[in-house]
Amino acid sequence: EAEANALIFMREEEKLAHDVYVALGDIWGLNIFSNISQSEATHTDAVKNLIDRYGLSDPATDKAPGEFVNAELQELYNQLVAQGSQSLADALRVGATIEDLDIVDLQTRIAQTERSDIQLVYENLMKGSRNHLRSFTKTLAKQTGESYQPQYLEQAEFDAIINSDMERGQGQGKGR
């Protein structure tokens, strides 16, 4: 049951990332949002495949962009889009924050399952999230001269991620 709940949560959290990036891309027109939102669509599909494999109910079925079953994720979506609408710097910080949170949530979920197929998907999602975190922080620095301060990751782990090379996901070839 815990694994099922984790898959359902991760499906919506990946959808949240996608939907926020689409919304912020529409506002700011920066390629990073459209590129990473496409990657997030791949992430949501990967989790959906697990949901289907285990015969679970998909929380994203018939949900419009920005619409979630989980009330906390709904509130977070609303908050992040409002924050990211304030300025380009805020939008890029929102992107980094989503990936920061996603990495921590994936680490938690990996530790809670013994199923190798779920672990593999989560590990690949985490690689993508680390790459996205690198991209958002670099773009933030380049566009605004500002730096991102981690909200969820420990500073040492954040620094290790930011100071390492982009990673490639299994079988996808693009670090997604």
Side-chain angles (χ1 to χ4, degrees):
E1 187 176 335
E3 289 167 320
N5 290 337
L7 284 170
I8 290 166
F9 180 84
M10 290 312 301
R11 170 81 161 137
E12 281 208 301
E13 188 172 84
E14 296 297 333
K15 179 184 182 306
L16 175 139
H18 171 270
D19 293 356
V20 169
Y21 300 154
V22 168
L24 296 180
D26 288 347
I27 294 167
W28 300 107
L30 210 58
N31 283 342
I32 190 171
F33 293 110
S34 59
N35 292 342
I36 294 180
S37 71
Q38 290 172 14
S39 180
E40 294 297 343
T42 302
H43 291 190
T44 61
D45 290 346
V47 178
K48 180 166 182 351
N49 289 338
L50 290 172
I51 285 174
D52 292 345
R53 179 179 300 160
Y54 290 105
L56 304 173
S57 177
D58 181 8
T61 300
D62 299 326
K63 294 295 180 208
E67 188 177 296
F68 303 89
V69 172
N70 182 301
E72 290 175 15
L73 290 176
Q74 182 67 62
E75 185 178 326
L76 183 59
Y77 171 85
N78 296 340
Q79 172 192 336
L80 292 172
V81 171
Q83 181 182 341
S85 300
Q86 302 291 319
S87 70
L88 179 57
D90 285 324
L92 293 167
R93 273 193 298 276
V94 161
T97 300
I98 288 171
E99 301 303 335
D100 182 355
L101 174 61
D102 201 30
I103 292 166
V104 170
D105 284 345
L106 285 164
Q107 289 170 336
T108 300
R109 299 315 189 269
I110 288 168
Q112 294 172 340
T113 185
E114 297 294 322
R115 296 178 189 266
S116 61
D117 58 340
I118 295 174
Q119 289 173 339
L120 179 62
V121 169
Y122 287 171
E123 290 285 351
N124 281 326
L125 296 180
M126 200 158 42
K127 285 178 190 175
S129 290
R130 288 189 299 256
N131 286 340
H132 299 165
L133 181 60
R134 289 179 191 103
S135 294
F136 279 119
T137 57
K138 284 180 187 170
T139 303
L140 177 64
K142 189 179 203 178
Q143 293 277 336
T144 70
E146 296 180 27
S147 61
Y148 173 75
Q149 297 303 311
Q151 308 296 307
Y152 302 96
L153 286 164
E154 295 293 328
Q155 187 69 47
E157 185 176 7
F158 171 79
D159 292 342
I161 291 168
I162 297 307
N163 294 316
S164 61
D165 293 332
M166 294 296 261
E167 300 169 72
R168 292 191 172 280
Q170 284 191 319
Q172 296 179 5
K174 295 185 179 177
R176 294 180 186 175

